[in-house]
Amino acid sequence: MTFLRLSGVRKSFGPLEVLRGVDLDVGRGEVVCLIGPSGSGKSTLLRCVNHLETVDGGEIRLEDELIGYTRKGDTYYPLGDRAAARQRRRFGMVFQGFHLFQHLTVLENVVEAPTRVLRRSRGECTEQAHELLASVGLAEKHAAYPRELSGGQQQRVAIARALAMEPDVMLFDEPTSALDPELVGEVLGVMRRLAQRTMTMIVVTHEIGFARQVSDRVAVMDGGTIVELGTPSEVLGAPKHRTTQVFVRSLGERT
Amino acid sequence: MPTSTSTRAPVEAPASVRFARRRQPARWLTAGAALVLAAMFAHFLITNPRWDWRLVGGYLFSADILRGLLNTVLLTLISSAAGLVAGVVVALMRLSDDPVLRWVATAYIWFIRAIPALVLLLLIFFLGALLPKLSLGVPFGPEFLSVPTNRLISQFSAAVVGLALVLGAYSAEIFRAGILSVPAGQLEAATALAMTRRQRLRRVVLPQAIRVIIPPLSNELVTMFKNTSLVSVVGYTELLTTVQLIYGRTYQTIPLLLVACLWYLVLTSLAMIGQRCLERRFGRGFAAGRPGKEYSR
């Protein structure tokens, strides 16, 4: 039943313990929003899931496949470059800062990974890219360079680029935090439609409204652990933990 | 005179108003000064009989000079190619996780920076005095192949090796700076898209680094044209050596140096045209219009 399983994940940066044993199960097609004050470890946790960060303890499994390591006896050995890259094909990631390839057009951004990494034919990928761009409302912009687009448009291209790899899990790292307020809606709209198409999603966000309406479960992080986990109505409607109460109230004023 | 919106008097309709360009009187001054200087220089070039322009014209396309020119071009192309490959490798070594590679690369750059190119060329040319023979075999063990050093090191190969070593060290730092100029987010996005290390470097980092690398690297390559003239110390007959040989015989020093200068100007012009094409090609997706315009006053 469990699709993606995080067990006892720990991570330190030098003396700073960022994750102190995080457990989280995500079902196939489930949307989980990670909320919590800044510095609580949300982004780091997300980056551990596709092994952009190494972990110092615990493990992450996607359909029982250990991510980032192989286990021999009691020892975890880090995967090599190629094996790690192969595992990352199953994860799509969207960043706060978009990170579109600046030297490539919108279309080339979307086509790059499927043709180079999956070695699919250029014609097939181009066709798919045009469909994806249309689905995020940017069919006309295929020949533009990232710099010529607004933040909201860039982020929608970034989502299309990640989807072009046909991932099993989409990871969103504060996808709307760098956007002007009037552009947030267009990106959340794309994510909402994606959730309806039963994509498995983990979303680090400060958008309480989105978490309430779209997510199946909300996880609240504080000090490197998940302090509260439940349905949006449980967690956001009747928060039990003090952090959640304070946090939801402070954000509630905005939305 | 404070006014509030309600009591403000109606303003003349802007349709009849025109926008003048800002006056720039200083530009007339600088242009005038530049013209005077240019005229003085032209006067000096034309009227001084010691340039001996007729002689310059005669030598410009003479067989000896053209042979020297060809040697200069050949030497530049071969040592540039070797030097650039060395530069990329050394830059990647300096950026590597492996401390041994980093240390070796740093030591190489340190050494080449410390030794003047002229001295390095001489050292390589006279390697035979230091190591009478070069051999291939197990270190401190048996030898399989052994050649007298002086047979291996000709004037040409000494020049190529010397110049390539110099360019390798200097261009390595340029490549490293270019690679470091690509934002970390680009690399992260490429990693998240399941690219391997090699793909990230070739498809994402280098194409963006090249934009930053081209201007300083063009500088190095143009320097290379002129560094080939150092090779006259080992007696390889490139352009300058040829010119020196001729005026050593005829004492027509100034006209012949002028011939060399004219050809260096031609070569540099070609290199700069190439640079412009490259900048245009790799500037795709970055600031539109004339690059650097935003920095003008």
Side-chain angles (χ1 to χ4, degrees):
Chain A
M1 164 65 209
T2 300
F3 187 50
L4 177 66
R5 164 164 281 177
L6 282 60
S7 334
V9 174
R10 287 191 292 108
K11 172 76 186 174
S12 303
F13 292 113
L16 183 70
E17 221 181 341
V18 184
L19 299 175
R20 307 162 183 258
V22 178
D23 298 312
L24 181 67
D25 287 354
V26 181
R28 190 190 277 274
E30 194 182 14
V31 177
V32 176
C33 279
L34 279 179
I35 64 171
S38 58
S40 58
K42 312 178 294 284
S43 290
T44 307
L45 183 65
L46 199 70
R47 295 161 56 82
C48 287
V49 171
N50 66 346
H51 199 52
L52 276 189
E53 300 284 359
T54 56
V55 298
D56 299 326
E59 55 175 48
I60 295 158
R61 285 178 184 273
L62 179 63
E63 285 186 312
D64 221 36
E65 183 186 358
L66 187 62
I67 299 300
Y69 299 87
T70 50
R71 187 173 168 174
K72 287 194 187 105
D74 299 340
T75 314
Y76 291 110
Y77 294 94
L79 288 180
D81 181 47
R82 280 171 177 279
R86 183 164 277 279
Q87 283 188 339
R88 287 197 191 98
R89 294 179 186 183
R90 302 188 67 186
F91 300 94
M93 192 166 203
V94 174
F95 300 89
Q96 182 177 353
F98 331 134
H99 302 335
L100 291 181
F101 301 136
Q102 300 292 320
H103 60 303
L104 300 179
T105 63
V106 164
L107 186 72
E108 288 166 341
N109 262 279
V110 180
V111 165
E112 178 69 19
T115 51
R116 298 285 157 180
V117 176
L118 305 179
R119 304 203 182 283
R120 284 165 39 196
S121 83
R122 182 155 284 269
E124 182 197 338
C125 292
T126 306
E127 199 177 313
Q128 177 208 28
H130 280 297
E131 280 167 26
L132 281 169
L133 287 173
S135 76
V136 299
L138 291 171
E140 324 281 85
K141 294 287 185 187
H142 64 90
Y145 283 97
R147 247 158 233 239
E148 299 158 10
L149 303 181
S150 73
Q153 290 171 331
Q154 289 193 50
Q155 195 60 297
R156 285 185 280 153
V157 174
I159 294 173
R161 177 176 71 171
L163 290 175
M165 291 290 283
E166 296 173 354
D168 296 322
V169 181
M170 280 290 283
L171 309 170
F172 291 88
D173 188 3
E174 303 202 26
T176 58
S177 300
L179 297 178
D180 290 339
E182 77 271 22
L183 302 179
V184 168
E186 62 192 51
V187 172
L188 292 182
V190 168
M191 292 167 61
R192 196 175 302 234
R193 264 176 283 139
L194 195 58
Q196 281 158 4
R197 295 211 314 255
T198 67
M199 174 62 81
T200 309
M201 292 165 59
I202 305 180
V203 184
V204 173
T205 188
H206 293 292
E207 297 293 333
I208 294 295
F210 177 83
R212 198 189 307 273
Q213 291 160 22
V214 180
S215 60
D216 298 302
R217 281 186 301 156
V218 174
V220 184
M221 285 192 74
D222 191 22
T225 53
I226 291 178
V227 294
E228 195 160 357
L229 177 68
T231 64
S233 54
E234 287 167 7
V235 175
L236 302 173
K240 294 189 188 66
H241 196 277
R242 173 110 188 95
T243 308
T244 321
Q245 290 166 353
V246 173
F247 189 67
V248 168
R249 200 176 310 134
S250 74
L251 285 181
E253 288 157 13
R254 224 167 59 115
T255 27
Chain B
M1 187 173 60
T3 51
S4 75
T5 7
S6 53
T7 63
R8 215 172 77 167
V11 185
E12 187 193 349
S16 60
V17 178
R18 91 190 162 85
F19 288 94
R21 286 174 71 147
R22 194 156 63 90
R23 283 174 203 279
Q24 312 233 18
R27 286 197 179 172
W28 289 102
L29 274 174
T30 49
L35 267 176
V36 170
L37 285 174
M40 282 168 70
F41 189 61
H43 180 257
F44 166 60
L45 282 181
I46 295 165
T47 58
N48 193 323
R50 269 154 291 185
W51 289 115
D52 212 337
W53 283 99
R54 190 166 306 156
L55 206 66
V56 171
Y59 274 119
L60 202 54
F61 297 101
S62 73
D64 283 342
I65 295 288
L66 288 183
R67 203 173 307 120
L69 179 70
L70 181 71
N71 284 344
T72 289
V73 171
L74 217 61
L75 187 59
T76 307
L77 290 182
I78 294 176
S79 23
S80 295
L84 290 182
V85 170
V88 173
V89 171
V90 174
L92 291 177
M93 283 168 72
R94 275 204 79 167
L95 292 166
S96 155
D97 289 337
D98 184 335
V100 177
L101 290 184
R102 273 205 314 267
W103 194 89
V104 169
T106 309
Y108 163 66
I109 290 171
W110 166 77
F111 181 77
I112 299 290
R113 275 180 168 172
I115 308 296
L118 195 63
V119 177
L120 190 72
L121 282 168
L122 287 171
L123 277 177
I124 292 171
F125 187 57
F126 293 114
L127 196 63
L130 199 63
L131 290 170
K133 58 178 189 163
L134 292 177
S135 46
L136 207 62
V138 183
F140 307 108
E143 291 171 3
F144 306 128
L145 185 72
S146 177
V147 221
T149 304
N150 280 337
R151 193 180 310 158
L152 214 59
I153 296 192
S154 65
Q155 290 160 337
F156 182 71
S157 61
V160 167
V161 170
L163 292 176
L165 281 176
V166 171
L167 184 66
Y170 285 100
S171 66
E173 289 294 272
I174 293 173
F175 283 120
R176 188 169 71 98
I179 290 170
L180 288 176
S181 78
V182 178
Q186 296 285 311
L187 208 59
E188 210 157 64
T191 312
L193 283 167
M195 292 190 184
T196 60
R197 189 176 301 140
R198 201 184 147 80
Q199 286 169 329
R200 299 195 288 264
L201 188 70
R202 283 195 38 194
R203 301 292 306 171
V204 176
V205 176
L206 287 182
Q208 295 187 66
I210 283 181
R211 190 180 63 93
V212 180
I213 287 170
I214 289 170
L217 197 62
S218 306
N219 228 357
E220 284 304 318
L221 290 179
V222 168
T223 307
M224 194 70 166
F225 272 127
K226 292 173 297 172
N227 271 354
T228 54
S229 64
L230 296 178
V231 166
S232 58
V233 296
V234 299
Y236 179 69
T237 50
E238 45 66 65
L239 186 57
L240 185 70
T241 315
T242 312
V243 163
Q244 285 172 332
L245 286 175
I246 299 175
Y247 71 61
R249 229 170 32 235
T250 65
Y251 299 102
Q252 295 153 333
T253 313
I254 295 288
L256 277 158
L257 284 178
L258 193 59
V259 167
C261 283
L262 287 174
W263 278 119
Y264 284 125
L265 277 171
V266 169
L267 293 181
T268 304
S269 310
L270 290 177
M272 284 174 74
I273 291 169
Q275 173 184 359
R276 232 170 95 177
C277 295
L278 285 176
E279 279 184 10
R280 212 167 279 166
R281 167 66 182 78
F282 287 101
R284 288 192 324 159
F286 291 87
R290 199 184 89 203
K293 187 164 188 165
E294 59 270 32
Y295 299 116
S296 75
R297 194 162 55 97

